[in-house]
Amino acid sequence: MIKISDLEKIYRTEEVETVALNKLSFNVKEGEFVAVMGPSGCGKSTLLNILGLLDDPDDGSFLFNGIEVAHFNERKRADLRKRNIGFVFQSFNLIDELTVFENVELPLIYLGVKGDERKQRVEKVLDKMQIMHRRNHYPQQLSGGQQQRVAVARAVVNNPKLILADEPTGNLDSSNGNEVMQLLTELNEQGTTIIMVTHSEHDARYSHRIIRMLDGQTVTENILV
Amino acid sequence: MFKNYFKTTFRNLWKNKGYSFLNIGGLAIGIACAGLIFLWVEDELTFNHYFSNRDNLYKVKDRQTYDGTTFTFDATPGPFAAGIKSEMPGIKNTARTTWGNSVLFSLDDKTIYQQGLYVDSPFLKMFQLQFVKGNATNAFSQLHSIVVSKKMANNFFGTTNVIGKTLKVDNKDEYIISGVIKDLPENVSFKFDWLSPFKIYEDQNQWLQYWGNNGVVTYVETQPNTNVEQINKKLYGYIQTKQKETNAKMSIYPMNRWRMYDSFENGKEIAGRIKYVNLFSLIAWIILIIACINFMNLSTARSEQRAREVGVRKVLGAGKSKLISQFIGESIFTSVLAAILAVGIIYLSLPAFNSLVEKQLSVNVANPYHIGALLLIALICGLVAGSYPAFYLSSFNPVYVLKGIKIKTGGSAGLIRKGLVVLQFSISVVLIISTIIIYQQITHVKDRELGYNKQNLVYMYMQGKMRQHFNVIKNDLQSTGVIENAALSNSQVLQLGSNTGDFTWEGKDPSKQVLITVEGVSPEYTATMGMHLKDGRNFYPDGKTDSSNVIINESLAKILKKKNVLGTIVTQGNTNYTIVGVVKDFVYNNMYASAAPLILFSDTSNCNVLSIRIKAGAQLPAALSKIEAVIKNDNPGYPFDYSFVDQQFDKLFKTETLIGKLASVFSILAIFISCLGLFGLAAYTAEKRIKEIGIRKVLGASVKGLASLLSKEFLLLVAISCLIAFPVALWMMYDWLNGYAYRVKISWTVFALAGVLALLIALLTVSFQAIKAAIANPVKSLRSE
Ligand SMILES: Nc1ncnc2c1ncn2[C@@H]1O[C@H](COP(=O)(O)OP(=O)(O)O)[C@@H](O)[C@H]1O
Ligand SMILES: [Mg+2]
């Protein structure tokens, strides 16, 4: 599903040049659950942003379902993204001014789904994530675990083929963290490909394969199953 | 402590350069704008202050009632001045003057027209004219003496050492210069470069001796602390003690009211220029408020950033009142900065403003009034702009802000902010609509069907023997081939000077007088003017045969209430006139009203004006030089001086045009300042919502969708402003137009136009920020580490 080779990303500021990704290559097959690990600043988030088509690489190739997307323009990337990819962030990134229901509804609005169908689909996901009773609450009124469940609900509401999670348990205590990992595993079992950045060996064990990074390069790959 | 506040103020301004720029810039433009208006207002309100004796100076007003309507004039009988001075206690001095004479002066081969007055000698002392040479006591000891301004002395002699020198007047008499006075400033009611004894004028106009003829202006100086009401009570029936059958009622009218109030309707003083002075003062304050609103909005919007500072200061022991004074101090500091910047703006824009309002205004930083006013404005702005943010900021709970708990700015603060934006834009939209309607009214009246053709029509005041030689001049003009026709008349067509209530006719209610304009003309008059006959005939080419026939206008024909007015006899005194023609109503004197009743006589004995119709399509400069050649040949010794009727017509709309110009400048500035605020607010909102925008983008929102999401809120505010502004503007303009009998109809398209304009401008302003935010890469805004 994903094939990247010699991917490069360099951040240039006035004084310094940071090589965030240095000729990075790996593949991810459909249905896989991959964990990406490595010390802070090694380029994990950069990688995830490129995989999520939020950012473009400076060099290298990125085949998504066999199509070269490395040099797609903003509009094409956005279109591909909203149909295929869901995001879960460490800091949840819910919109404070919108209710739980409205937050989850957003991707469907942008996909152009009709109101009735939207309502059905959002309610279904909220049910699945067991936060239906909070549908009219605002994010600030929820606990961290609940907020992340909403974020996951929002990531999966449009049935993406790929979910990218950047330290999804980083801001949660262990019981809430486990709940989120449970959710991700279930989604994976239902066929969604997942790539997750994590600092926690415990969370990484939920995945099929661990890619370890250092200074923008992969160092090892551990296959867990 | 002050130093500490000063430091944080300055650092805050510096840290947020963009906002500070919008804040200070907007306020500076507002203050500059208000400053310019107040300069204009100062100039208007200090009109005639040049005359230090002004509290005791008066002009005599003459009220005459016809058919229930009272007309108010400045014209008085010749013997009136001397009469009241000797008979009325409390009157110290009186002086008569003419209305203003443009007289030809020559010295050797230098000939110049100069504006001046014939005045009684007390005039020189009453108005305390400042003599550079000579003195007020002896100036008029000789009959043919003349007092000239410094400017006029320099014009002719290049020096003010001119006592005893002579100037030739109208190519006839020699006047001896007996005094030189300082030039009068612009903002006084008089404009003259010379003064000569009234006696000269009186000797030439015997009719001045009669109590029944009102033809001169009379000024009065009262004894200090005189009861004016007492004088006016006595004056009321005074004329009737001299001349029973006149209905003129006199009173004296104080100099302090001449400029601002000298406007009468049915005998009662109505708000004259003061109306505009008040209006523009109001606009000045409104513009200041708009600028202050920017300040309030940007300060409260940015309050979250300062919440920590407030929290820390509170924890360290600052009380609420200390914080309030700190923030108000800050805003006063900011507005003083703005005021300083405003002085620069005023200096730069004053020349343009002066040419706009046709004044010679100047600012003077050494003038304590100007500095005081500026500081006062800065202080008021600082207080107004700072008060709300100060109370808002100082009420933050330190426990919450220091824990990092987000302060909800969406609540009442947000609502107030929105309300203020709505207020700004409502005012701007009202100003836009008013400007458009004022311009529409001006064009509407200018394009009005006048009843004659004002294009290609030249007139000139006759000199020398032009009247006697009219037929020769007319023939010579026509033989140039570029002139269609020429005619004589008492006055120029825009301003017909004489009227009377003396006419009677069969069937007229004897208890009522009808005021009728009377004008003597040569037979070519209606044809030359391009007027249309509705009924009957024109005067015969030999004017003498029609000496007891008249042409009347439609308006008078209606009053006569006869089936066929032709042949009707109208009588003045013992003289009968037969109506032989009716001319279609043409507009004169009041461009906003319909024509008043009028009688044209075939009588050129009092004609002063020669009107010339140039052929349509003729080259004007060429035609003028041909006219000049004819006039100079047939009437040598006088300079060629002429006016175009259409240009004089345009000049009649000076006040309206000025108001239109000022209104447009100020509405552009009001909307500009409002947009500065909106720009800052949009930038702030975009910044505050940057995380939300990032999330939405990650979830698939398009740039267009995001930009419209961000703009929508502001456009909604502008739309609400329009809804508030429309009825207000409608009411205001309805009221303004009511003052004009001939007025434009208010059309909904003006409102639509103003609304669309405001929305477009607001859209342009916010979409810049919205698009900037929408195209930003979300990766940056969502970086969580
Ligand atoms: N927008 C940016 N500008 C400059 N440098 C950046 C930017 N984003 C990331 N970096 C740098 O790139 C490197 C990789 O960052 P990141 O991918 O966020 O690491 P990780 O997620 O593994 O902690 C870091 O050294 C970081 O400082
Ligand atoms: Mg990271």
Side-chain angles (χ1 to χ4, degrees):
Chain A
M1 182 185 211
I2 287 171
K3 185 178 166 61
I4 57 170
S5 32
D6 296 335
L7 215 54
E8 249 184 50
K9 181 76 185 177
I10 301 170
Y11 290 112
R12 287 188 184 83
T13 57
E14 272 149 41
E15 303 102 45
V16 285
E17 227 184 61
T18 316
V19 182
L21 296 179
N22 188 3
K23 297 204 183 302
L24 187 72
S25 309
F26 65 81
N27 298 341
V28 176
K29 286 204 275 296
E30 190 145 5
E32 258 195 305
F33 186 165
V34 177
V36 179
M37 297 190 74
S40 198
C42 73
K44 307 180 299 288
S45 295
T46 307
L47 171 66
L48 225 54
N49 288 337
I50 292 175
L51 291 179
L53 299 166
L54 291 173
D55 215 347
D56 48 358
D58 292 321
D59 204 2
S61 142
F62 173 13
L63 295 180
F64 187 86
N65 280 335
I67 304 162
E68 177 59 68
V69 297
H71 298 295
F72 261 28
N73 68 17
E74 161 110 25
R75 188 133 53 99
K76 276 182 167 169
R77 276 196 271 142
D79 201 52
L80 202 62
R81 183 170 67 227
K82 71 180 171 192
R83 285 169 207 293
N84 296 297
I85 303 173
F87 286 89
V88 179
F89 301 92
Q90 175 182 357
S91 52
F92 323 136
N93 280 339
L94 298 174
I95 296 177
D96 296 336
E97 287 77 16
L98 302 181
T99 62
V100 165
F101 184 94
E102 288 162 346
N103 261 292
V104 176
E105 193 186 20
L106 269 183
L108 298 178
I109 293 177
Y110 293 135
L111 270 178
V113 178
K114 290 253 160 52
D116 286 347
E117 195 192 333
R118 274 205 314 261
K119 188 160 177 273
Q120 266 177 21
R121 282 171 69 172
V122 173
E123 279 173 357
K124 212 174 106 191
V125 202
L126 289 178
D127 232 10
K128 205 161 113 188
M129 302 291 155
Q130 293 165 5
I131 37 174
M132 190 55 183
H133 57 297
R134 298 287 193 172
R135 52 177 291 175
N136 290 325
H137 286 73
Y138 286 91
Q140 307 93 298
Q141 300 168 313
L142 304 179
S143 73
Q146 287 169 324
Q147 288 192 38
Q148 195 60 302
R149 285 217 300 271
V150 176
V152 174
R154 191 179 62 183
V156 300
V157 72
N158 58 343
N159 297 322
K161 296 189 186 69
L162 172 66
I163 288 183
L164 299 171
D166 196 346
E167 301 187 39
T169 61
N171 282 4
L172 301 177
D173 60 31
S174 62
S175 79
N176 273 318
N178 283 342
E179 242 177 76
V180 168
M181 288 315 300
Q182 209 61 55
L183 274 174
L184 290 177
T185 312
E186 274 168 38
L187 287 168
N188 178 245
E189 279 162 3
Q190 286 154 23
T192 315
T193 312
I194 296 178
I195 302 175
M196 172 183 75
V197 168
T198 182
H199 280 299
S200 145
E201 293 288 346
H202 169 265
D203 289 353
R205 247 172 272 135
Y206 284 88
S207 70
H208 304 160
R209 179 156 66 104
I210 301 173
I211 296 176
R212 291 186 193 273
M213 286 178 65
L214 189 64
D215 293 341
Q217 286 172 305
T218 50
V219 275
T220 52
E221 292 194 25
N222 311 25
I223 302 189
L224 299 176
V225 277
Chain B
M1 193 173 74
F2 254 132
K3 213 171 127 195
N4 178 287
Y5 284 165
F6 186 80
K7 244 192 233 165
T8 42
T9 305
F10 194 75
R11 284 192 190 145
N12 249 307
L13 288 175
W14 189 250
K15 201 171 86 193
N16 302 287
K17 283 189 276 290
Y19 291 114
S20 307
F21 177 76
L22 290 180
N23 254 344
I24 299 177
L27 206 52
I29 294 174
I31 293 177
C33 205
L36 289 174
I37 299 177
F38 287 138
L39 278 176
W40 181 81
V41 169
E42 182 197 24
D43 184 77
E44 288 290 336
L45 291 181
T46 56
F47 212 80
N48 284 334
H49 279 208
Y50 179 74
F51 304 113
S52 48
N53 192 24
R54 63 185 177 279
D55 289 346
N56 298 323
L57 290 172
Y58 297 83
K59 177 159 72 179
V60 176
K61 286 277 171 191
D62 173 357
R63 288 183 177 77
Q64 300 177 20
T65 305
Y66 296 93
D67 203 5
T69 310
T70 303
F71 298 86
T72 309
F73 311 95
D74 292 346
T76 57
F80 182 77
I84 57 169
K85 190 185 170 196
S86 61
E87 295 172 40
M88 297 261 163
I91 290 181
K92 186 173 167 193
N93 258 319
T94 58
R96 297 168 296 172
T97 75
T98 50
W99 300 90
N101 308 64
S102 184
V103 165
L104 183 71
F105 289 91
S106 37
L107 177 74
D108 306 328
D109 54 353
K110 197 183 261 175
T111 58
I112 309 175
Y113 276 98
Q114 297 270 308
Q115 195 69 29
L117 297 172
Y118 291 96
V119 303
D120 283 327
S121 67
F123 184 90
L124 306 174
K125 279 198 176 143
M126 284 164 67
F127 292 94
Q128 297 178 324
L129 300 176
Q130 298 177 27
F131 277 77
V132 183
K133 294 277 146 62
N135 59 61
T137 317
N138 299 327
F140 285 176
S141 49
Q142 256 178 301
L143 178 62
H144 284 131
S145 51
I146 184 167
V147 170
V148 298
S149 68
K150 260 171 99 170
K151 200 172 92 202
M152 181 168 163
N154 280 318
N155 273 352
F156 279 99
F157 302 96
T159 165
T160 55
N161 283 324
V162 294
I163 302 279
K165 303 209 166 152
T166 60
L167 285 168
K168 188 169 231 172
V169 176
D170 269 335
N171 286 338
K172 292 198 302 259
D173 309 318
E174 301 271 350
Y175 286 14
I176 298 172
I177 298 176
S178 57
V180 179
I181 52 170
K182 274 196 185 156
D183 295 337
L184 291 179
E186 286 285 324
N187 65 345
V188 295
S189 296
F190 298 101
K191 296 241 171 313
F192 54 75
D193 275 309
W194 57 266
L195 299 168
S196 273
F198 191 79
K199 183 93 176 41
I200 301 175
Y201 181 76
E202 201 174 13
D203 288 347
Q204 291 164 5
N205 295 277
Q206 293 302 316
W207 56 268
L208 275 175
Q209 299 165 9
Y210 303 107
W211 281 94
N213 291 336
N214 297 303
V216 296
V217 190
T218 304
Y219 295 100
V220 170
E221 181 187 3
T222 59
Q223 303 285 1
N225 307 318
T226 302
N227 186 338
V228 176
E229 258 168 56
Q230 211 83 57
I231 292 183
N232 278 336
K233 221 179 241 163
K234 283 190 195 136
L235 278 176
Y236 187 76
Y238 179 77
I239 296 276
Q240 283 67 25
T241 65
K242 310 288 176 188
Q243 174 102 0
K244 259 216 172 79
E245 53 277 14
T246 167
N247 82 29
K249 307 285 188 200
M250 303 298 183
S251 61
I252 58 175
Y253 187 63
M255 181 175 231
N256 287 327
R257 297 185 86 78
W258 292 357
R259 175 69 171 180
M260 285 301 133
Y261 299 92
D262 194 355
S263 190
F264 290 82
E265 202 174 276
N266 210 2
K268 296 225 168 56
E269 186 186 61
I270 53 168
R273 237 182 139 73
I274 189 75
K275 204 166 57 184
Y276 295 115
V277 170
N278 287 340
L279 181 71
F280 282 114
S281 308
L282 182 71
I283 288 180
W285 285 113
I286 285 176
I287 287 180
L288 279 178
I289 288 174
I290 290 182
C292 286
I293 288 177
N294 280 357
F295 191 96
M296 293 192 223
N297 275 349
L298 293 177
S299 317
T300 56
R302 270 176 39 219
S303 58
E304 276 165 56
Q305 293 172 5
R306 301 201 61 181
R308 262 186 76 81
E309 182 197 332
V310 174
V312 172
R313 282 183 189 273
K314 275 198 173 174
V315 167
L316 296 180
K320 194 170 167 167
S321 60
K322 274 245 173 61
L323 285 167
I324 289 177
S325 59
Q326 179 199 340
F327 289 123
I328 289 186
E330 269 187 38
S331 78
I332 290 176
F333 175 77
T334 312
S335 66
V336 168
L337 279 184
I340 293 170
L341 194 60
V343 173
I345 298 176
I346 292 176
Y347 263 108
L348 291 178
S349 55
L350 200 56
F353 186 71
N354 270 335
S355 76
L356 186 77
V357 299
E358 293 172 17
K359 279 188 195 280
Q360 289 303 316
L361 307 174
S362 61
V363 256
N364 186 354
V365 279
N367 181 336
Y369 284 112
H370 288 179
I371 286 295
L374 192 73
L375 286 179
L376 191 70
I377 291 175
L379 195 70
I380 292 173
C381 283
L383 280 175
V384 169
S387 55
Y388 172 61
F391 283 99
Y392 177 67
L393 280 169
S394 61
S395 65
F396 288 162
N397 183 330
V399 177
Y400 290 128
V401 289
L402 290 183
K403 265 191 184 161
I405 291 175
K406 210 172 151 195
I407 295 152
K408 283 279 279 177
T409 42
S412 67
L415 210 63
I416 290 178
R417 202 147 61 222
K418 284 175 187 167
L420 290 173
V421 170
V422 167
L423 181 64
Q424 282 184 314
F425 273 85
S426 304
I427 294 169
S428 302
V429 171
V430 168
L431 284 173
I432 294 176
I433 293 174
S434 311
T435 307
I436 299 176
I437 292 181
I438 290 171
Y439 271 108
Q440 280 186 335
Q441 166 71 356
I442 295 171
T443 12
H444 183 64
V445 180
K446 280 192 177 174
D447 292 347
R448 151 171 216 194
E449 176 53 52
L450 290 180
Y452 64 91
N453 180 2
K454 69 178 190 302
Q455 255 76 45
N456 284 345
L457 191 56
V458 174
Y459 71 88
M460 60 190 75
Y461 288 96
M462 291 187 287
Q463 311 135 356
K465 297 236 177 296
M466 279 171 78
R467 185 175 41 192
Q468 290 86 326
H469 297 157
F470 170 62
N471 283 328
V472 178
I473 293 173
K474 186 182 143 197
N475 278 336
D476 290 349
L477 282 172
Q478 276 173 330
S479 59
T480 62
V482 293
I483 305 306
E484 202 168 288
N485 214 337
L488 299 183
S489 56
N490 290 3
S491 332
Q492 57 112 334
V493 61
L494 292 168
Q495 188 66 49
L496 304 185
S498 315
N499 50 33
T500 169
D502 292 349
F503 276 96
T504 57
W505 51 86
E506 197 190 274
K508 179 174 176 285
D509 178 352
S511 68
K512 282 182 185 161
Q513 284 185 306
V514 177
L515 193 66
I516 297 172
T517 305
V518 290
E519 177 78 354
V521 298
S522 71
E524 305 85 349
Y525 186 70
T526 54
T528 304
M529 292 295 137
M531 292 165 181
H532 306 284
L533 273 186
K534 189 173 175 246
D535 225 344
R537 64 167 175 88
N538 215 330
F539 292 130
Y540 291 126
D542 175 13
K544 297 228 171 53
T545 52
D546 278 318
S547 59
S548 59
N549 295 334
V550 292
I551 295 176
I552 63 171
N553 71 352
E554 270 178 287
S555 158
L556 178 55
K558 264 177 221 141
I559 293 174
L560 292 178
K561 285 197 204 113
K562 296 238 153 85
K563 267 225 178 70
N564 190 4
V565 292
L566 296 180
T568 303
I569 290 171
V570 291
T571 311
Q572 184 181 34
N574 299 320
T575 322
N576 289 338
Y577 296 94
T578 310
I579 298 172
V580 295
V582 179
V583 67
K584 273 200 173 167
D585 275 342
F586 61 92
V587 181
Y588 65 91
N589 293 11
N590 182 348
M591 295 300 132
Y592 301 97
S594 49
L598 167 99
I599 295 180
L600 296 178
F601 295 89
S602 177
D603 172 13
T604 59
S605 59
N606 287 314
C607 283
N608 289 313
V609 173
L610 167 66
S611 299
I612 300 170
R613 157 86 45 210
I614 299 173
K615 277 187 179 158
Q619 291 288 317
L620 286 182
L624 279 173
S625 65
K626 282 183 178 158
I627 296 173
E628 179 172 7
V630 170
I631 303 287
K632 284 209 154 150
N633 184 52
D634 293 349
N635 189 46
Y638 292 88
F640 179 62
D641 201 32
Y642 64 92
S643 307
F644 276 101
V645 172
D646 52 356
Q647 284 170 7
Q648 295 304 312
F649 174 82
D650 285 346
K651 281 194 189 153
L652 296 175
F653 299 93
K654 238 173 115 175
T655 314
E656 281 77 12
T657 311
L658 173 71
I659 288 159
K661 279 191 211 158
L662 287 179
S664 57
V665 169
F666 294 135
S667 51
I668 288 170
L669 282 172
I671 199 138
F672 178 73
I673 297 173
S674 306
C675 282
L676 275 188
L678 201 60
F679 186 82
L681 219 50
Y684 172 76
T685 310
E687 193 182 295
K688 206 179 76 177
R689 293 174 76 173
I690 193 149
K691 193 185 122 196
E692 180 196 338
I693 295 166
I695 298 168
R696 284 178 184 269
K697 241 184 140 174
V698 168
L699 298 177
S702 64
V703 171
K704 207 174 89 191
L706 283 174
S708 72
L709 174 82
L710 287 171
S711 311
K712 213 166 60 191
E713 184 190 328
F714 291 108
L715 293 187
L716 186 71
L717 294 183
V718 177
I720 294 173
S721 311
C722 288
L723 291 184
I724 295 173
F726 287 172
V728 176
L730 180 68
W731 172 76
M732 271 176 52
M733 283 296 102
Y734 185 81
D735 191 56
W736 181 73
L737 286 173
N738 240 344
Y740 298 101
Y742 186 78
R743 56 180 176 255
V744 71
K745 250 170 102 180
I746 298 177
S747 149
W748 64 269
T749 49
V750 176
F751 293 80
L753 184 73
V756 169
L757 207 66
L759 279 171
L760 267 181
I761 294 171
L763 183 67
L764 259 168
T765 311
V766 294
S767 63
F768 174 78
Q769 296 290 358
I771 291 169
K772 198 175 116 188
I775 57 176
N777 191 336
V779 173
K780 289 203 180 106
S781 55
L782 295 182
R783 275 189 0 131
S784 45
E785 295 106 315

